Amino acid sequence: MSSWSDNINLNSCLWFEGEDKRNTTAAILAGIFFSVGWWLMIDANWVYPAAVSSGYYVCGIIATVSLIMVNLVSQSQIRGDYAGGYFGPNGARAWLFVGFVLGFASVIASFWIFFADFVPHSSEKVPGVELLTQNIFIFVSSLIYKFGRIEENTW
């Protein structure tokens, strides 16, 4: 099954040579979304220091932990092809589930903070939008990096 990224023809580049462009493209896109998400929250704290509480960073930290948890588990561990570990495929599935729950929880918490703290009380809504966008971008980055790559069994 061919992918849309297989038909991309780019000039020769030192770090982008090789046949498999899908993994590199997914990693670049995930990195862009992740870094822009954190950049937005740092910008909100820099431009509007009175409006951004230090507790607002917890959503982004939980989203980052979610990204790490989701991408630590390979597809072969979830399918049960890899028989290593103490808990087997059920443990890998539970780990992945908890990672996705943390990701969804961070996005929902950022919506909650936005609608509870920034919409009714504040005349400046930009920090709330940046907080919301940060968590959405980190979650999208997690999804791109998890499902955008082709995993091969190397063991």
Side-chain angles (χ1 to χ4, degrees):
M1 181 168 152
S2 68
S3 172
W4 63 270
S5 64
D6 293 338
N7 297 326
I8 296 175
N9 294 323
L10 298 174
N11 293 336
S12 180
C13 184
L14 181 64
W15 53 270
F16 207 68
E17 290 181 6
E19 298 297 321
D20 187 20
K21 295 178 181 144
R22 182 174 176 172
N23 289 352
T24 307
T25 307
I28 290 171
L29 282 175
I32 288 171
F33 273 103
F34 181 79
S35 60
V36 168
W38 271 107
W39 187 9
L40 287 172
M41 193 59 198
I42 292 168
D43 176 67
N45 193 23
W46 182 262
V47 177
Y48 307 99
V52 177
S53 171
S54 61
Y56 294 162
Y57 279 99
V58 173
C59 292
I61 292 169
I62 290 174
T64 303
V65 169
S66 165
L67 180 139
I68 293 168
M69 286 181 71
V70 164
N71 288 295
L72 276 177
V73 180
S74 68
Q75 295 294 340
S76 62
Q77 290 172 326
I78 295 169
R79 284 191 307 264
D81 296 340
Y82 178 69
Y86 291 111
F87 301 110
N90 290 335
R93 291 176 191 137
W95 182 267
L96 183 69
F97 178 74
V98 169
F100 276 123
V101 166
L102 287 176
F104 283 123
S106 68
V107 171
I108 291 169
S110 64
F111 269 104
W112 186 335
I113 291 170
F114 176 68
F115 285 113
D117 291 349
F118 290 101
V119 171
H121 304 297
S122 177
S123 62
E124 192 63 55
K125 294 175 181 37
V126 173
V129 171
E130 288 181 338
L131 170 72
L132 186 63
T133 308
Q134 175 210 19
N135 288 284
I136 291 172
F137 275 16
I138 293 174
F139 188 69
V140 166
S141 169
S142 177
L143 293 177
I144 289 172
Y145 198 65
K146 178 67 179 173
F147 299 113
R149 296 178 295 138
I150 298 171
E151 296 179 359
E152 298 176 7
N153 290 338
T154 56
W155 48 77

Tab-separated table of all heavy atoms in Angstrom, residues 38-74:
chain	number	residue	atom	x	y	z
A	38	TRP	N	4.727	24.454	22.852
A	38	TRP	CA	5.429	24.982	24.023
A	38	TRP	C	5.843	26.435	23.811
A	38	TRP	O	5.857	27.228	24.751
A	38	TRP	CB	6.638	24.115	24.371
A	38	TRP	CG	6.238	23.024	25.301
A	38	TRP	CD1	6.122	21.709	25.002
A	38	TRP	CD2	5.883	23.154	26.679
A	38	TRP	NE1	5.712	21.014	26.104
A	38	TRP	CE2	5.561	21.878	27.159
A	38	TRP	CE3	5.798	24.223	27.560
A	38	TRP	CZ2	5.169	21.653	28.470
A	38	TRP	CZ3	5.413	23.987	28.858
A	38	TRP	CH2	5.101	22.716	29.297
A	39	TRP	N	6.171	26.792	22.595
A	39	TRP	CA	6.554	28.171	22.297
A	39	TRP	C	5.378	29.117	22.574
A	39	TRP	O	5.557	30.213	23.107
A	39	TRP	CB	7.011	28.270	20.855
A	39	TRP	CG	7.580	29.588	20.445
A	39	TRP	CD1	7.894	30.666	21.228
A	39	TRP	CD2	7.911	29.980	19.127
A	39	TRP	NE1	8.398	31.683	20.478
A	39	TRP	CE2	8.417	31.289	19.180
A	39	TRP	CE3	7.824	29.347	17.900
A	39	TRP	CZ2	8.833	31.977	18.054
A	39	TRP	CZ3	8.245	30.032	16.779
A	39	TRP	CH2	8.747	31.327	16.855
A	40	LEU	N	4.164	28.686	22.218
A	40	LEU	CA	2.987	29.518	22.474
A	40	LEU	C	2.773	29.751	23.969
A	40	LEU	O	2.457	30.867	24.391
A	40	LEU	CB	1.741	28.869	21.863
A	40	LEU	CG	1.636	28.925	20.348
A	40	LEU	CD1	0.470	28.071	19.877
A	40	LEU	CD2	1.485	30.351	19.884
A	41	MET	N	2.964	28.718	24.780
A	41	MET	CA	2.755	28.891	26.217
A	41	MET	C	3.845	29.752	26.841
A	41	MET	O	3.561	30.572	27.721
A	41	MET	CB	2.709	27.512	26.895
A	41	MET	CG	2.207	27.568	28.298
A	41	MET	SD	0.556	28.266	28.357
A	41	MET	CE	0.479	28.700	30.060
A	42	ILE	N	5.073	29.592	26.383
A	42	ILE	CA	6.157	30.443	26.874
A	42	ILE	C	5.914	31.889	26.450
A	42	ILE	O	6.143	32.829	27.220
A	42	ILE	CB	7.516	29.917	26.384
A	42	ILE	CG1	7.813	28.576	27.053
A	42	ILE	CG2	8.635	30.913	26.646
A	42	ILE	CD1	8.978	27.824	26.456
A	43	ASP	N	5.395	32.087	25.237
A	43	ASP	CA	5.052	33.427	24.770
A	43	ASP	C	3.945	34.043	25.613
A	43	ASP	O	3.996	35.229	25.942
A	43	ASP	CB	4.622	33.366	23.303
A	43	ASP	CG	4.152	34.710	22.786
A	43	ASP	OD1	5.001	35.626	22.676
A	43	ASP	OD2	2.947	34.846	22.506
A	44	ALA	N	2.949	33.233	25.968
A	44	ALA	CA	1.863	33.750	26.806
A	44	ALA	C	2.394	34.197	28.162
A	44	ALA	O	1.964	35.233	28.690
A	44	ALA	CB	0.790	32.677	26.992
A	45	ASN	N	3.317	33.441	28.722
A	45	ASN	CA	3.891	33.810	30.009
A	45	ASN	C	4.779	35.049	29.884
A	45	ASN	O	4.863	35.854	30.798
A	45	ASN	CB	4.686	32.651	30.588
A	45	ASN	CG	5.035	32.862	32.034
A	45	ASN	OD1	4.373	33.618	32.742
A	45	ASN	ND2	6.065	32.185	32.481
A	46	TRP	N	5.444	35.208	28.763
A	46	TRP	CA	6.337	36.349	28.567
A	46	TRP	C	5.553	37.640	28.319
A	46	TRP	O	5.873	38.682	28.873
A	46	TRP	CB	7.264	36.063	27.391
A	46	TRP	CG	8.245	37.146	27.144
A	46	TRP	CD1	8.143	38.148	26.224
A	46	TRP	CD2	9.464	37.377	27.838
A	46	TRP	NE1	9.231	38.967	26.288
A	46	TRP	CE2	10.069	38.519	27.280
A	46	TRP	CE3	10.122	36.725	28.871
A	46	TRP	CZ2	11.275	39.008	27.723
A	46	TRP	CZ3	11.322	37.217	29.302
A	46	TRP	CH2	11.882	38.352	28.745
A	47	VAL	N	4.518	37.570	27.496
A	47	VAL	CA	3.775	38.774	27.117
A	47	VAL	C	2.733	39.146	28.165
A	47	VAL	O	2.511	40.330	28.435
A	47	VAL	CB	3.119	38.578	25.730
A	47	VAL	CG1	2.286	39.784	25.343
A	47	VAL	CG2	4.182	38.317	24.667
A	48	TYR	N	2.080	38.150	28.767
A	48	TYR	CA	1.017	38.404	29.743
A	48	TYR	C	1.370	37.726	31.069
A	48	TYR	O	0.717	36.754	31.474
A	48	TYR	CB	-0.319	37.857	29.243
A	48	TYR	CG	-0.692	38.334	27.870
A	48	TYR	CD1	-0.476	37.536	26.752
A	48	TYR	CD2	-1.259	39.586	27.683
A	48	TYR	CE1	-0.826	37.974	25.488
A	48	TYR	CE2	-1.592	40.027	26.430
A	48	TYR	CZ	-1.378	39.222	25.326
A	48	TYR	OH	-1.718	39.657	24.083
A	49	PRO	N	2.387	38.197	31.778
A	49	PRO	CA	2.798	37.483	33.006
A	49	PRO	C	1.751	37.522	34.114
A	49	PRO	O	1.685	36.602	34.933
A	49	PRO	CB	4.082	38.196	33.421
A	49	PRO	CG	4.019	39.522	32.767
A	49	PRO	CD	3.215	39.359	31.517
A	50	ALA	N	0.917	38.555	34.157
A	50	ALA	CA	-0.096	38.635	35.212
A	50	ALA	C	-1.265	37.688	34.941
A	50	ALA	O	-1.938	37.241	35.879
A	50	ALA	CB	-0.606	40.065	35.337
A	51	ALA	N	-1.521	37.370	33.683
A	51	ALA	CA	-2.675	36.543	33.332
A	51	ALA	C	-2.372	35.052	33.378
A	51	ALA	O	-3.292	34.239	33.438
A	51	ALA	CB	-3.182	36.915	31.944
A	52	VAL	N	-1.096	34.677	33.337
A	52	VAL	CA	-0.731	33.268	33.287
A	52	VAL	C	-0.262	32.816	34.673
A	52	VAL	O	0.751	33.288	35.181
A	52	VAL	CB	0.376	33.019	32.241
A	52	VAL	CG1	0.802	31.564	32.252
A	52	VAL	CG2	-0.110	33.412	30.860
A	53	SER	N	-1.014	31.926	35.256
A	53	SER	CA	-0.644	31.343	36.537
A	53	SER	C	0.363	30.213	36.312
A	53	SER	O	0.371	29.580	35.243
A	53	SER	CB	-1.890	30.796	37.230
A	53	SER	OG	-1.539	30.052	38.361
A	54	SER	N	1.185	29.951	37.275
A	54	SER	CA	2.156	28.869	37.119
A	54	SER	C	1.468	27.502	37.079
A	54	SER	O	2.033	26.547	36.567
A	54	SER	CB	3.179	28.917	38.243
A	54	SER	OG	2.538	28.749	39.491
A	55	GLY	N	0.262	27.418	37.578
A	55	GLY	CA	-0.490	26.166	37.515
A	55	GLY	C	-0.968	25.807	36.124
A	55	GLY	O	-1.296	24.650	35.861
A	56	TYR	N	-0.991	26.780	35.222
A	56	TYR	CA	-1.417	26.508	33.853
A	56	TYR	C	-0.418	25.631	33.113
A	56	TYR	O	-0.760	24.997	32.119
A	56	TYR	CB	-1.629	27.803	33.078
A	56	TYR	CG	-2.766	28.653	33.590
A	56	TYR	CD1	-2.857	29.982	33.245
A	56	TYR	CD2	-3.752	28.137	34.410
A	56	TYR	CE1	-3.882	30.790	33.693
A	56	TYR	CE2	-4.784	28.921	34.872
A	56	TYR	CZ	-4.843	30.243	34.511
A	56	TYR	OH	-5.871	31.022	34.966
A	57	TYR	N	0.823	25.590	33.592
A	57	TYR	CA	1.829	24.757	32.947
A	57	TYR	C	1.599	23.276	33.196
A	57	TYR	O	2.148	22.444	32.480
A	57	TYR	CB	3.227	25.137	33.443
A	57	TYR	CG	3.782	26.349	32.761
A	57	TYR	CD1	3.729	27.596	33.373
A	57	TYR	CD2	4.341	26.259	31.505
A	57	TYR	CE1	4.232	28.709	32.758
A	57	TYR	CE2	4.856	27.369	30.873
A	57	TYR	CZ	4.804	28.590	31.500
A	57	TYR	OH	5.293	29.695	30.875
A	58	VAL	N	0.803	22.932	34.177
A	58	VAL	CA	0.570	21.528	34.504
A	58	VAL	C	-0.096	20.809	33.331
A	58	VAL	O	0.230	19.652	33.036
A	58	VAL	CB	-0.273	21.403	35.800
A	58	VAL	CG1	-0.666	19.964	36.072
A	58	VAL	CG2	0.489	21.983	36.968
A	59	CYS	N	-0.990	21.482	32.635
A	59	CYS	CA	-1.647	20.860	31.471
A	59	CYS	C	-0.621	20.480	30.413
A	59	CYS	O	-0.665	19.382	29.851
A	59	CYS	CB	-2.675	21.805	30.868
A	59	CYS	SG	-4.096	22.106	31.894
A	60	GLY	N	0.302	21.372	30.120
A	60	GLY	CA	1.328	21.082	29.125
A	60	GLY	C	2.287	19.998	29.565
A	60	GLY	O	2.739	19.182	28.762
A	61	ILE	N	2.604	19.978	30.858
A	61	ILE	CA	3.494	18.934	31.373
A	61	ILE	C	2.818	17.570	31.284
A	61	ILE	O	3.444	16.578	30.888
A	61	ILE	CB	3.927	19.274	32.812
A	61	ILE	CG1	4.833	20.506	32.804
A	61	ILE	CG2	4.619	18.093	33.474
A	61	ILE	CD1	5.100	21.097	34.167
A	62	ILE	N	1.541	17.511	31.626
A	62	ILE	CA	0.810	16.244	31.524
A	62	ILE	C	0.682	15.813	30.067
A	62	ILE	O	0.801	14.628	29.746
A	62	ILE	CB	-0.566	16.361	32.210
A	62	ILE	CG1	-0.374	16.460	33.718
A	62	ILE	CG2	-1.458	15.173	31.876
A	62	ILE	CD1	-1.628	16.718	34.493
A	63	ALA	N	0.472	16.762	29.159
A	63	ALA	CA	0.412	16.429	27.735
A	63	ALA	C	1.751	15.898	27.241
A	63	ALA	O	1.800	14.970	26.420
A	63	ALA	CB	-0.002	17.654	26.926
A	64	THR	N	2.850	16.452	27.742
A	64	THR	CA	4.171	15.969	27.356
A	64	THR	C	4.423	14.566	27.895
A	64	THR	O	4.969	13.715	27.191
A	64	THR	CB	5.259	16.944	27.851
A	64	THR	OG1	4.982	18.241	27.315
A	64	THR	CG2	6.630	16.497	27.420
A	65	VAL	N	4.013	14.303	29.128
A	65	VAL	CA	4.128	12.951	29.688
A	65	VAL	C	3.278	11.981	28.870
A	65	VAL	O	3.693	10.846	28.596
A	65	VAL	CB	3.725	12.944	31.179
A	65	VAL	CG1	3.576	11.532	31.718
A	65	VAL	CG2	4.731	13.719	32.002
A	66	SER	N	2.107	12.426	28.431
A	66	SER	CA	1.248	11.602	27.589
A	66	SER	C	1.929	11.272	26.268
A	66	SER	O	1.874	10.129	25.805
A	66	SER	CB	-0.075	12.318	27.326
A	66	SER	OG	-0.770	11.719	26.268
A	67	LEU	N	2.569	12.242	25.658
A	67	LEU	CA	3.289	12.013	24.396
A	67	LEU	C	4.366	10.959	24.584
A	67	LEU	O	4.509	10.059	23.752
A	67	LEU	CB	3.905	13.326	23.907
A	67	LEU	CG	4.689	13.266	22.613
A	67	LEU	CD1	4.363	14.480	21.778
A	67	LEU	CD2	6.172	13.222	22.856
A	68	ILE	N	5.092	11.047	25.680
A	68	ILE	CA	6.156	10.076	25.942
A	68	ILE	C	5.565	8.687	26.184
A	68	ILE	O	6.058	7.683	25.637
A	68	ILE	CB	7.020	10.542	27.132
A	68	ILE	CG1	7.790	11.805	26.751
A	68	ILE	CG2	7.967	9.449	27.583
A	68	ILE	CD1	8.437	12.514	27.917
A	69	MET	N	4.497	8.611	26.978
A	69	MET	CA	3.896	7.311	27.278
A	69	MET	C	3.329	6.643	26.036
A	69	MET	O	3.513	5.438	25.832
A	69	MET	CB	2.795	7.468	28.333
A	69	MET	CG	3.296	7.715	29.720
A	69	MET	SD	1.950	7.869	30.912
A	69	MET	CE	1.362	6.176	30.976
A	70	VAL	N	2.640	7.410	25.205
A	70	VAL	CA	2.010	6.840	24.015
A	70	VAL	C	3.064	6.314	23.046
A	70	VAL	O	2.882	5.262	22.427
A	70	VAL	CB	1.101	7.896	23.343
A	70	VAL	CG1	0.728	7.506	21.930
A	70	VAL	CG2	-0.151	8.103	24.177
A	71	ASN	N	4.175	7.010	22.933
A	71	ASN	CA	5.167	6.621	21.943
A	71	ASN	C	6.222	5.656	22.470
A	71	ASN	O	7.092	5.236	21.712
A	71	ASN	CB	5.821	7.872	21.356
A	71	ASN	CG	4.848	8.596	20.461
A	71	ASN	OD1	4.456	8.076	19.434
A	71	ASN	ND2	4.429	9.775	20.870
A	72	LEU	N	6.165	5.282	23.736
A	72	LEU	CA	7.067	4.262	24.258
A	72	LEU	C	6.619	2.850	23.897
A	72	LEU	O	7.421	1.926	23.899
A	72	LEU	CB	7.175	4.372	25.780
A	72	LEU	CG	8.167	5.391	26.308
A	72	LEU	CD1	8.108	5.438	27.822
A	72	LEU	CD2	9.569	5.086	25.865
A	73	VAL	N	5.359	2.677	23.580
A	73	VAL	CA	4.808	1.359	23.289
A	73	VAL	C	4.752	1.167	21.775
A	73	VAL	O	4.180	1.981	21.063
A	73	VAL	CB	3.397	1.212	23.891
A	73	VAL	CG1	2.826	-0.150	23.597
A	73	VAL	CG2	3.426	1.476	25.371
A	74	SER	N	5.348	0.085	21.290
A	74	SER	CA	5.321	-0.172	19.851
A	74	SER	C	4.049	-0.942	19.466
A	74	SER	O	3.383	-1.540	20.320
A	74	SER	CB	6.552	-0.965	19.426
A	74	SER	OG	6.501	-2.261	19.957
